[in-house]
Structures are given as C-alpha cells and as structure tokens.
Amino acid sequence: MKILGISAHYHDSAAALLVDGVPICAVQEERLSRRKNDASFPMHAIEWCLDSAGLDPAELDAVVYYERSMLKFERILTSALRAFPRSWRSFPHAIRNTLGEKAWVRGIISSHLDVPRRKIFFTDHHAAHAAAAFLAAPTRRAAILTADGVGEWATLTVGRGERRSDGSTDISLVREIRFPHSLGLLYSTFTAYLGFAVNEDEYKVMGLAAYGRPAMYEMVRRLVRPTADGAFELATEYFDFETAASRSYSAKFVELFGPARNPYEPIDLKSAEGQRFADCAASVQLLLEETLVKMAADLQRETGLPDLCFGGGVALNGVANARILAESGFERLFVPPAPGDAGCALGAALYADRLYFRSPDRDLPDHPFWGPEIDAGELARAAREDGQAVAQLDAAAVVEEVAAELADGRIVGWMDGACEFGPRALGHRSILAAPHSAAMRDRLNRDIKRREEFRPFAPVVTAEAADRFFDLPRGGVRLARFMSGVFPVRQEWRSRLAAVTHVDGSARVQVLERDMAPRLHALLEAYGRRTGIPVLLNTSFNVAGEPIVTRALEGYSTFRRCGIDLLAAGPVLVRKPAAAKEAEPWLSGSVAASGAV
Ligand SMILES: [Fe+2]
C-alpha cells in the first residue's frame, strides 16, 4: 500500500511517503522551498517524495491529511463568534485564512495531485501526533501523551497504544483537554510576551529560563487552575486568543506581569528588567514542567505501563522531558525526532495505514534520516568552479582529517547522507566544532549563528562515552537519541565542555549510537583519540533566518557566507584559503586519495 501523509497550512508543512507500512521518505517543505517554517501546501515536498520513490500520484492508494479541517474551521468560527464584538479585528483575518485554504483541503489535494476524492482521508490532529510518537518508537505497548498549542479542538490528549502479536494495532486516546485550555498556548503566550516569535522561538524561553529564578511562579499559577479530574484550565481573562491577531495576552496579563519586552531591544541579563524577563521565563517553564510531570505520573499509575510516547510541539521542551523521565514513574520516554506538526505528515500516514486500512504492524527504522541525500559530486563541482581548494579522500582519511581540523579549533560544515526530518540536526546536516571553550561558543554565535548569547549549543557524544561526561538517568540514553532531553554535564567536565554547557550546568546532549550515523560516530571516536574527549559541539547547519541546508549547493553557499572553515560531504573536503595549511596536500581540482593526510 502506498500512502502519502501531508501536514500543511499552519506551521512547518511537510510530506511523508509510506510504502507497505514503512517510511520511504519524509521532508519539510522549508527544506526544499528554502522559506523557513514554510506553511504553504507542501508541493515541493510531495513532488520530491513521489519522485524519489518513482511514483505517479495515480499510483497512490491514499492521501492522508493531518487534521480534520472542517472541525478546525468550526473551532475558529465558534471562538471568534463567542468573542464578538471584541473579535471584529481578527475575525475577517481568521475567516479569510481559513476559508482561503484550510477548510477546503480535499479540493486542494484533489486538484493539486489529481487524485480522486475517495482516496483522500483525514485524521484527528492529535491522533497524528500520537501515531508519530508511538508507531515509530521501538515499543509494543505504551502510554501516550500529546500536547501542543491546538489542533481542531484538542490541545492535550492521553491514552495508550498497542502493537499486538496478531499484527493489529490499537491507539486509544481516552481523554483530552480542549481549546482554549492549552499548555502550548500558555507557553506561546509567554513567548510573545517575552518578545520572541510564537511557534518558532519557544526554545529561547527555555534557554532564557536557566538564567532566572521562578520568582513569579505563584503569579503564573493564577493563570492555570487545576480541575477536579486532574487536568487544568486556563484563566481566560489573562489571554486573548480569540480576539487578537498579533498577540495572545490580555491587558490583565500585562497588569499582573508588567510591560511586555520590546522585541527589538536586546535582553541585558545584568539589568533588573532583563532579570525580570529571565525570572518570568523560569516561572512559566517550571509551571509547564510541574503540570506535565503530574499528568504523566497520573497516566503511569493509571496504565501501569513502563513506556511513555510523547508527541506534539510541547515535547520539544527537553528540560520538561528530562523531568518527566526522572519523576513520572515511566522507565522509558520516547519522543520522535519530529514531534511537532511537520511530524504529523508521517503520523497521519502511519495512523491511516494501521488503523483505517488495518495493515499489519511493522517495526520501523529508528532514525530521523528521511530527506534528500547529499551529492558530494555537486559540492566538488561547485567549489572547483568557484576556484576553491577541493580534496577527495577515502572515508577513513576524511574522518581523520576533519578530526584534526576540529582539534585545531576549526569550524566544520558536516553533510552526510539523507537530511533529518524534524527541527534538529542529528548528524547529517550539522556544524561541528570543539566543545571545550566559551570562546568557541562566542565565535559561533558571532560569526555563524548571529544569535543571542543566552542560547546554548548542544553537544553530541558517543553512546559508549556518554556516562563519563553526562549525568544520565535510567532511560536517558534513549531520550537523548534525538536530542530530546536536557541533562546535567558532570561537574568535573563542565570547564572542559564550556561551549556546550548551559549556565545551569546542563546540556541538550545527543547520545549517538554507531548504527544511527556511522560516519559521525567514527569522527567522534577519532576526535576522542586526539583529545581524550569524544564530544563535539553540534549545531544545525544553517545561518539565522534560513532553514537547515538540504542539498550540497546550499551547504556550499552557507559555507561561503559565514565563518565555517571546512566543508565535508562524502569523500569531498573544501577548505577556505585562510584555513589552508601548507604542509597538507590541498590542491585545486581533484586529488587522488592518498590516505596519508
Ligand atoms: Fe500540533
């Protein structure tokens, strides 16, 4: 069976293709259109998926959309009408937006892809989140938690999933919390209040939180009331989801917390005002953690299961994830590499395959690499045409050479195989650097990422050495597979891992097993042989405002425009003249592999 999953029209569109129950490819529209967080109907992504599988749209058995668009339309309409006349400003915007594209998805899919309407299916939004989290995880029975801003009406669901020995699959979401009561929207409201971009910069709030104290925790708690059934509701008078097109907090919110941050002013953490914002971030972060830990603990008691699968955009909060793992009673916590809405493209396809069409259960490959492959020849051609030094070496020589350059303090653009599905670079489209000094962190922030100093960089470490450097609880290695947890750096290593240790001593570490990305694993080992520390700084291969690079040419263009010293893809290495060393056989044009570098 050939099933295409689509998520679109909200944030970060994507397409995924499933053949006989197994993903063949999946990619976010932004990686191909080159527009960050591209929310448009993902034509590039769909075309690439079909092309790379050699399929014609007519050969698809089903196209599955990741939410019930008419229900979502109903929610937007109902909310706007409830808030009328306060909502008169946002109402035309919401209706135009929804009527223009979102509500008539079946027609859009049918006309764009030329597939008959009978082949077009829909899943509940949170069912797609749940399927993405549960069906891709290596577990047969697990509790399921999903949490995001909002889908149709649900904002949080709990339930369980089972892959039975007879090949059948069950996903039962038994309870939900509905709009406007939403942990995701609560966090996004503070994201807006703190002057960051909603749906994009939530992780900056998490990063900023480490600089503050939860001094406003009691104030934040006034916004979120526990309910008798163990859930919560938002005190809606502090929010303005229905009426404001541009912000989501009310005048009463500003009365309570003080003036919002001006997004154009940098945060000065040494000033009282800067500290107020950091305290505010710490307070909402703590409330998010406490709420999720309690709900997860209740779910663990209720199900008695050792595994939890967690999906939805809230599952990108690595600090909360680590606390759920440590405190909820679950032994293992699975967060997929794309827990947000992009991942719903894959989730919707999986849900339809197992639950609608009753296809037999399948184990899925446990990695995030479903996007376009890198073409090293394209990199070599582009660099030569541009007059740059290009070297071609054998695989072992590339690893040794890059490790030597990293140990010498060079910054490396590292491209390998298929690109990641999801927001994080997990070793195939990464900028790598030595993790030891704060000066390296500052250089990356200044010359490449051009971003705020309070945001930490993440480390990647071999699975074999992870415990030496990081204080990982039971289940921590699994949670760190896709960089989904924030854990303490061991005290004795913090000064030698300064570029990747956050101000509170933590790191959002990726623990890399050899089988997931063998080339990066070999590089970590080679770097470890030289320095004694098989840890590298790993940040996504992009500059501010751009999506992560997909193809070799985009990597090359990024390399030329920022402070990356060395670029590696397959057997090809390109180095900027300023970083060239005379003693090494770097020549313009093709160089035969000598292995003696
Ligand atoms: Fe969502």
Side-chain angles (χ1 to χ4, degrees):
M1 210 165 188
K2 302 173 185 71
I3 301 176
L4 180 73
I6 296 174
S7 75
H9 294 154
Y10 180 58
H11 177 259
D12 206 8
S13 297
L17 183 66
L18 213 61
V19 175
D20 296 332
V22 179
I24 298 297
C25 46
V27 68
Q28 289 141 270
E29 182 71 0
E30 64 158 31
R31 303 289 161 87
L32 301 173
S33 72
R34 309 308 299 158
R35 281 179 22 213
K36 196 168 167 67
N37 298 323
D38 194 341
S40 54
F41 188 77
M43 260 338 280
H44 296 94
I46 292 169
E47 272 171 18
W48 176 78
C49 283
L50 294 175
D51 268 3
S52 55
L55 284 182
D56 194 76
E59 295 174 79
L60 291 170
D61 296 292
V63 178
V64 191
Y65 193 69
Y66 79 131
E67 63 186 9
R68 297 187 191 278
S69 45
M70 289 310 288
L71 269 181
K72 185 164 179 165
F73 176 55
E74 174 199 283
R75 192 249 308 156
I76 291 167
L77 193 63
T78 312
S79 310
L81 287 175
R82 262 186 212 149
F84 200 80
R86 284 186 299 124
S87 62
W88 70 272
R89 270 182 205 284
S90 65
F91 189 74
H93 174 79
I95 296 302
R96 194 172 53 245
N97 223 356
T98 313
L99 283 182
E101 286 202 309
K102 294 174 184 169
W104 317 124
V105 167
R106 196 186 293 272
I108 292 170
I109 294 173
S110 172
S111 62
H112 275 70
L113 291 183
D114 197 21
V115 293
R117 286 171 168 251
R118 65 181 165 78
K119 286 190 180 178
I120 300 168
F121 298 82
F122 297 82
T123 64
D124 289 341
H125 184 79
H126 279 257
H129 275 313
F134 171 61
L135 294 174
T139 173
R140 306 200 68 81
R141 192 175 299 112
I144 298 175
L145 171 65
T146 66
D148 68 358
V150 60
E152 299 93 353
W153 283 98
T155 66
L156 183 148
T157 68
V158 294
R160 57 199 293 166
E162 189 169 1
R163 298 163 53 200
R164 302 191 187 97
S165 50
D166 65 1
S168 65
T169 302
D170 182 44
I171 292 178
S172 307
L173 299 178
V174 293
R175 283 192 306 283
E176 66 180 29
I177 296 175
R178 300 190 120 205
F179 178 87
H181 310 295
S182 164
L183 280 181
L185 288 178
L186 171 79
Y187 208 81
S188 293
T189 299
F190 278 91
T191 305
Y193 174 77
L194 292 169
F196 303 122
V198 168
N199 283 332
E200 206 178 315
D201 289 346
E202 276 72 6
Y203 65 101
K204 292 186 184 176
V205 177
M206 194 184 86
L208 183 60
Y211 287 89
R213 292 170 305 110
M216 301 178 203
Y217 181 67
E218 289 307 319
M219 281 154 68
V220 180
R221 266 185 39 158
R222 277 195 236 169
L223 276 51
V224 187
R225 303 185 189 113
T227 52
D229 59 356
F232 62 84
E233 59 183 25
L234 297 190
T236 51
E237 63 271 27
Y238 291 100
F239 301 92
D240 212 355
F241 303 137
E242 291 97 342
T243 60
S246 56
R247 61 175 226 182
S248 44
Y249 49 89
S250 69
K252 198 164 173 182
F253 185 103
V254 176
E255 237 170 71
L256 182 62
F257 289 99
R261 185 185 147 241
N262 176 352
Y264 299 103
E265 299 269 324
I267 296 179
D268 177 6
L269 288 162
K270 292 185 190 80
S271 73
E273 192 70 342
Q275 202 53 53
R276 179 170 75 88
F277 293 129
D279 288 352
C280 190
S283 305
V284 69
Q285 173 65 29
L286 180 62
L287 187 120
L288 178 86
E289 293 166 20
E290 296 284 331
T291 310
L292 286 171
V293 166
K294 181 187 174 306
M295 298 198 81
D298 289 349
L299 186 59
Q300 204 286 323
R301 273 193 298 277
E302 182 182 327
T303 60
L305 293 166
D307 288 349
L308 174 65
C309 296
F310 185 21
V314 176
L316 286 165
N317 195 303
V319 176
N321 291 347
R323 281 200 58 195
I324 292 172
L325 178 65
E327 299 174 40
S328 67
F330 285 107
E331 289 170 26
R332 296 194 298 176
L333 173 58
F334 297 97
V335 175
D341 283 1
C344 286
L346 183 56
L350 285 167
Y351 191 91
D353 185 67
R354 308 293 201 273
L355 280 296
Y356 292 169
F357 303 119
R358 295 278 157 201
S359 301
D361 172 54
R362 299 283 300 269
D363 285 332
L364 301 191
D366 194 13
H367 66 68
F369 306 121
W370 300 113
E373 292 272 340
I374 206 74
D375 179 348
E378 181 182 292
L379 171 63
R381 280 193 299 280
R384 279 187 201 121
E385 234 165 74
D386 197 26
Q388 297 289 310
V390 176
Q392 283 190 251
L393 309 169
D394 65 32
V398 167
V399 163
E400 288 304 325
E401 175 64 14
V402 172
E405 294 286 343
L406 287 164
D408 276 353
R410 309 259 192 271
I411 297 173
V412 175
W414 178 259
M415 302 187 285
D416 182 23
C419 80
E420 294 87 346
F421 184 50
R424 288 172 180 152
L426 295 165
H428 278 194
R429 299 292 185 277
S430 291
I431 294 172
L432 304 174
H436 315 298
S437 75
M440 177 59 85
R441 178 196 62 207
D442 295 343
R443 191 175 141 205
L444 277 160
N445 272 329
R446 190 187 60 231
D447 296 346
I448 296 175
K449 291 290 186 166
R450 298 180 185 113
R451 62 186 206 172
E452 303 88 343
E453 63 183 25
F454 59 82
R455 288 171 53 197
F457 286 104
V460 55
V461 60
T462 59
E464 296 79 0
D467 273 335
R468 228 175 103 206
F469 302 99
F470 303 95
D471 189 1
L472 297 165
R474 178 180 64 169
V477 168
R478 174 66 222 188
L479 188 56
R481 183 176 180 87
F482 304 136
M483 223 186 245
S484 305
V486 172
F487 299 107
V489 179
R490 288 196 186 279
Q491 190 75 44
E492 62 273 28
W493 288 102
R494 288 180 188 174
S495 61
R496 278 176 285 179
L497 293 172
V500 293
T501 302
H502 203 15
V503 62
D504 60 358
S506 70
R508 197 184 68 194
V509 58
Q510 179 189 0
V511 174
L512 187 67
E513 313 244 8
R514 188 186 307 274
D515 64 339
M516 197 174 99
R519 277 167 59 89
L520 179 58
H521 192 276
L523 178 63
L524 284 163
E525 287 188 330
Y527 185 79
R529 283 193 296 275
R530 286 169 188 273
T531 62
I533 302 177
V535 181
L536 287 168
L537 180 156
N538 171 22
T539 184
S540 57
F541 194 161
N542 63 324
V543 291
E546 294 185 11
I548 297 176
V549 303
T550 303
R551 303 188 192 279
L553 269 182
E554 291 142 17
Y556 184 69
S557 152
T558 306
F559 162 74
R560 291 286 275 144
R561 286 180 290 131
C562 71
I564 296 173
D565 300 310
L566 183 73
L567 188 56
V572 175
L573 293 181
V574 184
R575 169 165 28 195
K576 283 198 183 126
K581 285 192 282 183
E582 285 177 4
E584 290 179 355
W586 292 90
L587 298 170
S588 249
S590 176
V591 176
S594 68
V597 181

